[in-house]
Amino acid sequence: MDGNRRYAKNHSIALKEGHKHGADALVRVLDCCFRVGVKNVTTYAFSIENFSRKPEEVDTIFSLLKYKLAILSNENQMCDLHNVRVKIIGNKSYLPKDVLDDIEMVEEKTKHHNKHILFIAFPYTSRDDMWYSINKIIEKFNNGEILIDEIDEKLIENNFYYEDSSEKVDILVRTSGHTRLSDYMLWQCHQDSVIEFPNTLWPNYKFYHTWWTIFRWSYYKTLMIQDAETMQLKKVSREQVNKRYKDIPKIHPPFASVNKA
Ligand SMILES: CC(C)=CCC/C(C)=C/CC/C(C)=C/COP(=O)(O)OP(=O)(O)O
Protein backbone atom coordinates (compact mmCIF):
# COMPACT_ATOMS: atom_id res chain seq x y z
CA MET A 1 0.00 0.00 0.00
CA ASP A 2 2.51 2.59 -1.16
CA GLY A 3 1.95 6.29 -1.72
CA ASN A 4 -0.01 7.62 1.29
CA ARG A 5 2.46 10.41 2.10
CA ARG A 6 2.77 11.53 -1.53
CA TYR A 7 -1.03 11.56 -1.73
CA ALA A 8 -1.15 13.81 1.35
CA LYS A 9 1.48 16.11 -0.16
CA ASN A 10 -0.30 16.28 -3.54
CA HIS A 11 -3.60 17.20 -1.84
CA SER A 12 -2.00 19.56 0.71
CA ILE A 13 -3.49 17.63 3.61
CA ALA A 14 -1.88 16.42 6.84
CA LEU A 15 0.21 13.27 6.64
CA LYS A 16 -2.16 11.45 8.97
CA GLU A 17 -5.03 12.24 6.59
CA GLY A 18 -3.02 10.59 3.81
CA HIS A 19 -2.76 7.41 5.89
CA LYS A 20 -6.47 7.66 6.72
CA HIS A 21 -7.29 7.75 2.99
CA GLY A 22 -4.93 4.77 2.61
CA ALA A 23 -6.76 2.78 5.26
CA ASP A 24 -10.11 3.59 3.57
CA ALA A 25 -8.68 2.44 0.23
CA LEU A 26 -7.74 -0.87 1.84
CA VAL A 27 -11.32 -1.49 2.96
CA ARG A 28 -12.61 -0.78 -0.60
CA VAL A 29 -10.03 -3.07 -2.19
CA LEU A 30 -10.72 -5.89 0.29
CA ASP A 31 -14.44 -5.63 -0.33
CA CYS A 32 -13.83 -5.95 -4.09
CA CYS A 33 -11.41 -8.90 -3.65
CA PHE A 34 -13.82 -10.87 -1.50
CA ARG A 35 -16.80 -10.10 -3.73
CA VAL A 36 -15.05 -11.39 -6.85
CA GLY A 37 -13.84 -14.52 -5.07
CA VAL A 38 -10.19 -13.95 -4.14
CA LYS A 39 -9.64 -16.50 -1.39
CA ASN A 40 -6.94 -14.94 0.74
CA VAL A 41 -5.45 -11.46 0.80
CA THR A 42 -2.30 -10.26 2.54
CA THR A 43 -1.69 -6.58 3.06
CA TYR A 44 1.74 -5.14 3.84
CA ALA A 45 0.56 -2.56 6.37
CA PHE A 46 3.80 -1.90 8.25
CA SER A 47 7.34 -3.06 7.62
CA ILE A 48 9.91 -3.41 10.39
CA GLU A 49 11.85 -0.60 8.65
CA ASN A 50 8.83 1.70 9.09
CA PHE A 51 9.80 2.01 12.79
CA SER A 52 12.45 4.47 11.62
CA ARG A 53 9.67 7.00 10.86
CA LYS A 54 8.79 9.76 13.31
CA PRO A 55 7.03 8.45 16.46
CA GLU A 56 3.91 10.59 15.70
CA GLU A 57 3.55 8.88 12.31
CA VAL A 58 4.06 5.42 13.81
CA ASP A 59 1.39 6.25 16.42
CA THR A 60 -1.00 7.40 13.68
CA ILE A 61 -0.58 4.12 11.81
CA PHE A 62 -1.04 2.07 15.00
CA SER A 63 -4.23 3.99 15.85
CA LEU A 64 -5.57 3.48 12.32
CA LEU A 65 -4.89 -0.25 12.55
CA LYS A 66 -6.76 -0.45 15.87
CA TYR A 67 -9.65 1.64 14.56
CA LYS A 68 -10.06 -0.31 11.31
CA LEU A 69 -9.68 -3.69 13.01
CA ALA A 70 -12.52 -2.81 15.38
CA ILE A 71 -14.78 -1.75 12.50
CA LEU A 72 -13.98 -4.67 10.18
CA SER A 73 -14.67 -7.24 12.89
CA ASN A 74 -17.90 -5.65 14.14
CA GLU A 75 -21.18 -7.47 13.65
CA ASN A 76 -22.53 -7.15 10.10
CA GLN A 77 -19.27 -5.60 8.90
CA MET A 78 -16.77 -7.01 6.41
CA CYS A 79 -15.52 -10.06 8.32
CA ASP A 80 -19.07 -11.13 9.08
CA LEU A 81 -20.48 -10.35 5.65
CA HIS A 82 -17.73 -12.11 3.69
CA ASN A 83 -16.87 -14.79 6.28
CA VAL A 84 -13.29 -13.57 6.71
CA ARG A 85 -10.83 -14.66 9.35
CA VAL A 86 -8.22 -12.04 10.29
CA LYS A 87 -4.66 -13.04 11.11
CA ILE A 88 -1.85 -10.62 11.90
CA ILE A 89 1.50 -11.89 10.67
CA GLY A 90 4.82 -10.42 11.67
CA ASN A 91 7.14 -9.86 14.55
CA LYS A 92 4.71 -9.09 17.37
CA SER A 93 7.55 -8.54 19.82
CA TYR A 94 7.83 -4.99 18.40
CA LEU A 95 4.21 -4.11 19.25
CA PRO A 96 2.91 -2.34 22.36
CA LYS A 97 0.45 -4.11 24.66
CA ASP A 98 -2.66 -2.16 23.62
CA VAL A 99 -2.11 -3.08 19.94
CA LEU A 100 -1.44 -6.72 20.88
CA ASP A 101 -4.68 -6.82 22.90
CA ASP A 102 -6.70 -5.49 19.95
CA ILE A 103 -5.04 -7.98 17.60
CA GLU A 104 -5.87 -10.84 19.94
CA MET A 105 -9.44 -9.63 20.21
CA VAL A 106 -9.99 -9.50 16.44
CA GLU A 107 -8.22 -12.82 15.79
CA GLU A 108 -10.39 -14.46 18.44
CA LYS A 109 -13.58 -12.82 17.19
CA THR A 110 -13.05 -13.97 13.59
CA LYS A 111 -11.41 -17.37 14.13
CA HIS A 112 -14.58 -19.30 13.22
CA HIS A 113 -14.79 -17.64 9.77
CA ASN A 114 -13.60 -20.02 7.10
CA LYS A 115 -14.17 -18.67 3.60
CA HIS A 116 -11.36 -16.13 3.35
CA ILE A 117 -8.30 -15.13 5.37
CA LEU A 118 -7.13 -11.56 5.61
CA PHE A 119 -3.47 -11.55 6.61
CA ILE A 120 -2.24 -8.20 7.87
CA ALA A 121 1.56 -8.01 7.81
CA PHE A 122 2.34 -5.79 10.80
CA PRO A 123 5.29 -5.34 11.41
CA TYR A 124 6.78 -7.59 8.81
CA THR A 125 9.65 -8.32 6.44
CA SER A 126 10.21 -11.50 4.46
CA ARG A 127 13.71 -11.89 5.80
CA ASP A 128 12.46 -11.71 9.39
CA ASP A 129 9.78 -14.31 8.53
CA MET A 130 12.40 -16.70 7.14
CA TRP A 131 14.65 -16.10 10.14
CA TYR A 132 11.69 -16.79 12.47
CA SER A 133 10.95 -20.07 10.67
CA ILE A 134 14.57 -21.23 10.77
CA ASN A 135 14.80 -20.45 14.49
CA LYS A 136 11.62 -22.41 15.21
CA ILE A 137 12.95 -25.37 13.26
CA ILE A 138 16.28 -25.27 15.13
CA GLU A 139 14.36 -25.17 18.42
CA LYS A 140 12.20 -28.16 17.43
CA PHE A 141 15.29 -30.05 16.28
CA ASN A 142 17.11 -29.33 19.56
CA ASN A 143 14.05 -30.51 21.51
CA GLY A 144 14.03 -33.73 19.51
CA GLU A 145 10.62 -32.92 17.97
CA ILE A 146 11.90 -33.29 14.39
CA LEU A 147 14.65 -35.23 12.65
CA ILE A 148 17.20 -33.66 10.31
CA ASP A 149 15.68 -35.56 7.35
CA GLU A 150 12.32 -33.93 7.99
CA ILE A 151 13.62 -30.44 7.24
CA ASP A 152 12.32 -29.54 3.81
CA GLU A 153 10.58 -26.72 1.90
CA LYS A 154 7.17 -27.60 3.34
CA LEU A 155 8.48 -27.55 6.93
CA ILE A 156 10.08 -24.13 6.39
CA GLU A 157 6.75 -22.82 5.04
CA ASN A 158 4.74 -24.33 7.87
CA ASN A 159 6.89 -22.43 10.36
CA PHE A 160 6.40 -19.00 8.81
CA TYR A 161 4.23 -16.43 10.60
CA TYR A 162 1.52 -17.63 8.17
CA GLU A 163 1.70 -21.04 9.88
CA ASP A 164 -0.24 -23.63 7.93
CA SER A 165 -1.63 -21.18 5.37
CA SER A 166 1.51 -20.30 3.45
CA GLU A 167 -0.05 -20.54 0.00
CA LYS A 168 1.87 -19.26 -2.99
CA VAL A 169 1.07 -15.80 -4.28
CA ASP A 170 -0.99 -15.45 -7.47
CA ILE A 171 -0.93 -11.67 -7.76
CA LEU A 172 1.30 -9.20 -5.97
CA VAL A 173 0.48 -5.50 -6.37
CA ARG A 174 2.71 -2.65 -5.24
CA THR A 175 1.18 0.72 -5.94
CA SER A 176 2.71 4.18 -6.51
CA GLY A 177 5.08 3.37 -9.35
CA HIS A 178 8.01 2.15 -7.25
CA THR A 179 9.26 -1.06 -8.81
CA ARG A 180 10.75 -2.80 -5.80
CA LEU A 181 9.51 -5.47 -3.39
CA SER A 182 10.78 -3.93 -0.12
CA ASP A 183 11.47 -7.29 1.51
CA TYR A 184 7.97 -8.64 0.93
CA MET A 185 6.76 -12.05 -0.29
CA LEU A 186 10.30 -13.08 -1.25
CA TRP A 187 9.57 -16.73 -0.54
CA GLN A 188 5.88 -16.79 -1.45
CA CYS A 189 6.31 -15.54 -5.04
CA HIS A 190 6.83 -18.41 -7.45
CA GLN A 191 7.30 -18.95 -11.17
CA ASP A 192 3.69 -18.15 -12.06
CA SER A 193 3.16 -15.21 -9.68
CA VAL A 194 2.12 -12.06 -11.47
CA ILE A 195 3.71 -8.89 -10.08
CA GLU A 196 2.08 -5.55 -10.86
CA PHE A 197 3.49 -2.07 -10.20
CA PRO A 198 0.60 0.28 -11.06
CA ASN A 199 1.53 3.93 -11.31
CA THR A 200 -1.28 4.91 -8.91
CA LEU A 201 -0.83 6.17 -5.37
CA TRP A 202 -2.45 3.74 -2.92
CA PRO A 203 -5.30 6.05 -1.74
CA ASN A 204 -6.27 6.45 -5.43
CA TYR A 205 -6.40 2.69 -5.97
CA LYS A 206 -10.07 1.95 -6.60
CA PHE A 207 -12.27 -1.09 -7.04
CA TYR A 208 -11.89 -0.91 -10.84
CA HIS A 209 -8.08 -1.16 -10.57
CA THR A 210 -8.54 -4.18 -8.32
CA TRP A 211 -11.17 -5.78 -10.51
CA TRP A 212 -9.17 -5.24 -13.70
CA THR A 213 -6.00 -6.68 -12.17
CA ILE A 214 -7.88 -9.79 -11.07
CA PHE A 215 -9.60 -10.06 -14.45
CA ARG A 216 -6.26 -9.89 -16.31
CA TRP A 217 -4.86 -12.55 -14.03
CA SER A 218 -7.87 -14.84 -14.63
CA TYR A 219 -7.44 -14.36 -18.38
CA TYR A 220 -3.75 -15.18 -18.07
CA LYS A 221 -4.62 -18.37 -16.19
CA THR A 222 -7.17 -19.31 -18.86
CA LEU A 223 -4.48 -18.95 -21.50
CA MET A 224 -2.56 -21.64 -19.70
CA ILE A 225 -5.18 -24.17 -20.70
CA GLN A 226 -7.25 -22.70 -23.50
CA ASP A 227 -6.10 -21.59 -26.95
CA ALA A 228 -7.73 -18.20 -27.55
CA GLU A 229 -8.16 -18.74 -31.33
CA THR A 230 -9.42 -22.30 -31.52
CA MET A 231 -10.91 -22.40 -28.02
CA GLN A 232 -9.42 -25.89 -27.79
CA LEU A 233 -8.22 -26.86 -24.37
CA LYS A 234 -4.47 -27.26 -24.53
CA LYS A 235 -1.43 -26.02 -22.72
CA VAL A 236 0.24 -23.14 -24.53
CA SER A 237 3.91 -22.36 -23.99
CA ARG A 238 5.02 -19.98 -21.26
CA GLU A 239 6.46 -17.65 -23.94
CA GLN A 240 3.08 -17.44 -25.68
CA VAL A 241 1.32 -16.82 -22.38
CA ASN A 242 3.75 -14.08 -21.43
CA LYS A 243 3.46 -12.44 -24.85
CA ARG A 244 -0.34 -12.43 -24.70
CA TYR A 245 -0.34 -11.23 -21.12
CA LYS A 246 1.78 -8.25 -22.16
CA ASP A 247 -0.74 -7.46 -24.91
CA ILE A 248 -3.61 -7.02 -22.44
CA PRO A 249 -3.85 -3.29 -21.69
CA LYS A 250 -2.93 -2.40 -18.13
CA ILE A 251 -5.93 -0.12 -17.74
CA HIS A 252 -9.11 -0.96 -19.59
CA PRO A 253 -10.00 1.88 -22.02
CA PRO A 254 -13.33 2.74 -20.31
CA PHE A 255 -11.44 3.27 -17.08
CA ALA A 256 -8.63 5.30 -18.60
CA SER A 257 -10.34 8.67 -18.31
CA VAL A 258 -11.52 7.93 -14.76
CA ASN A 259 -7.98 7.01 -13.84
CA LYS A 260 -6.60 10.23 -15.29
CA ALA A 261 -9.07 12.32 -13.31
C1 LIG B 1 -6.45 -1.67 8.60
C2 LIG B 1 -5.01 -1.41 8.39
C3 LIG B 1 -4.20 -2.58 8.02
C4 LIG B 1 -4.54 -0.14 8.53
C5 LIG B 1 -3.13 0.26 8.54
C6 LIG B 1 -2.93 1.72 8.33
C7 LIG B 1 -2.18 2.01 7.06
C8 LIG B 1 -2.93 2.71 5.99
C9 LIG B 1 -0.90 1.63 6.91
C10 LIG B 1 -0.05 1.91 5.74
C11 LIG B 1 1.20 2.65 6.15
C12 LIG B 1 2.22 2.80 5.10
C13 LIG B 1 3.61 2.62 5.55
C14 LIG B 1 1.91 3.13 3.80
C15 LIG B 1 2.87 3.31 2.70
O1 LIG B 1 2.82 4.64 2.16
P1 LIG B 1 4.00 5.66 2.49
O2 LIG B 1 3.72 6.27 3.82
O3 LIG B 1 5.31 4.91 2.39
O4 LIG B 1 3.85 6.72 1.35
P2 LIG B 1 5.00 7.30 0.40
O5 LIG B 1 5.50 6.15 -0.42
O6 LIG B 1 4.26 8.32 -0.42
O7 LIG B 1 6.06 7.90 1.27
Side-chain angles (χ1 to χ4, degrees):
M1 302 192 283
D2 199 16
N4 294 353
R5 293 187 296 188
R6 275 167 285 165
Y7 177 90
K9 202 168 166 217
N10 292 351
H11 289 79
S12 308
I13 54 174
L15 192 142
K16 74 173 180 196
E17 288 300 310
H19 284 309
K20 196 170 160 298
H21 283 278
D24 292 343
L26 176 65
V27 177
R28 285 197 306 264
V29 167
L30 290 175
D31 188 60
C32 178
C33 287
F34 296 136
R35 274 178 202 277
V36 301
V38 174
K39 191 165 173 268
N40 298 336
V41 181
T42 308
T43 177
Y44 200 12
F46 198 79
S47 85
I48 293 173
E49 275 71 39
N50 287 150
F51 278 107
S52 61
R53 296 187 179 194
K54 287 198 178 123
E56 308 88 82
E57 188 183 349
V58 174
D59 283 349
T60 297
I61 295 173
F62 279 16
S63 306
L64 271 171
L65 174 82
K66 282 157 63 81
Y67 177 66
K68 287 290 179 195
L69 281 182
I71 292 183
L72 293 177
S73 63
N74 268 347
E75 223 172 290
N76 292 326
Q77 294 296 322
M78 203 183 64
C79 294
D80 248 11
L81 294 179
H82 296 301
N83 196 359
V84 185
R85 180 177 165 201
V86 177
K87 240 171 120 28
I88 313 298
I89 54 162
N91 196 328
K92 292 182 184 158
S93 68
Y94 286 102
L95 297 176
K97 177 147 182 350
D98 60 322
V99 177
L100 287 173
D101 287 347
D102 284 20
I103 287 174
E104 203 183 313
M105 180 273 294
V106 75
E107 287 184 337
E108 182 61 30
K109 219 167 151 184
T110 61
K111 70 173 185 202
H112 60 285
H113 292 154
N114 54 14
K115 191 165 174 205
H116 306 280
I117 308 179
L118 165 62
F119 293 102
I120 302 180
F122 200 106
Y124 184 86
T125 62
S126 270
R127 278 181 165 68
D128 184 65
D129 201 357
M130 292 183 217
W131 179 233
Y132 172 79
S133 167
I134 291 165
N135 269 311
K136 260 170 65 182
I137 292 171
I138 293 171
E139 200 181 305
K140 285 180 187 170
F141 176 73
N142 286 341
N143 293 340
E145 291 166 42
I146 50 168
L147 300 170
I148 195 94
D149 293 348
E150 289 170 341
I151 302 175
D152 58 8
E153 219 176 281
K154 194 84 213 121
L155 189 77
I156 296 173
E157 285 176 358
N158 288 346
N159 283 282
F160 282 149
Y161 292 120
Y162 282 85
E163 292 168 349
D164 53 353
S165 332
S166 56
E167 288 167 35
K168 303 247 188 290
V169 166
D170 291 316
I171 314 173
L172 170 65
V173 179
R174 186 208 176 114
T175 54
S176 94
H178 287 164
T179 50
R180 50 178 196 262
L181 291 177
S182 298
D183 210 343
Y184 187 51
M185 297 289 179
L186 302 185
W187 177 287
Q188 288 80 5
C189 283
H190 57 110
Q191 58 177 1
D192 287 327
S193 301
V194 164
I195 304 181
E196 300 260 351
F197 295 105
N199 198 8
T200 306
L201 299 179
W202 173 251
N204 286 327
Y205 200 77
K206 301 284 189 315
F207 82 91
Y208 48 83
H209 296 104
T210 317
W211 180 84
W212 185 241
T213 301
I214 296 166
F215 175 78
R216 289 174 76 236
W217 174 83
S218 318
Y219 185 61
Y220 165 76
K221 278 285 165 190
T222 313
L223 289 174
M224 299 285 274
I225 54 161
Q226 191 174 47
D227 186 282
E229 279 91 43
T230 63
M231 301 307 274
Q232 294 291 310
L233 285 181
K234 67 169 194 175
K235 214 168 173 81
V236 295
S237 73
R238 183 173 300 281
E239 288 71 33
Q240 279 172 291
V241 171
N242 286 343
K243 189 185 167 308
R244 285 185 189 172
Y245 188 65
K246 268 193 220 130
D247 290 343
I248 313 170
K250 286 245 158 152
I251 295 293
H252 193 275
F255 300 148
S257 55
V258 185
N259 190 44
K260 232 173 161 186

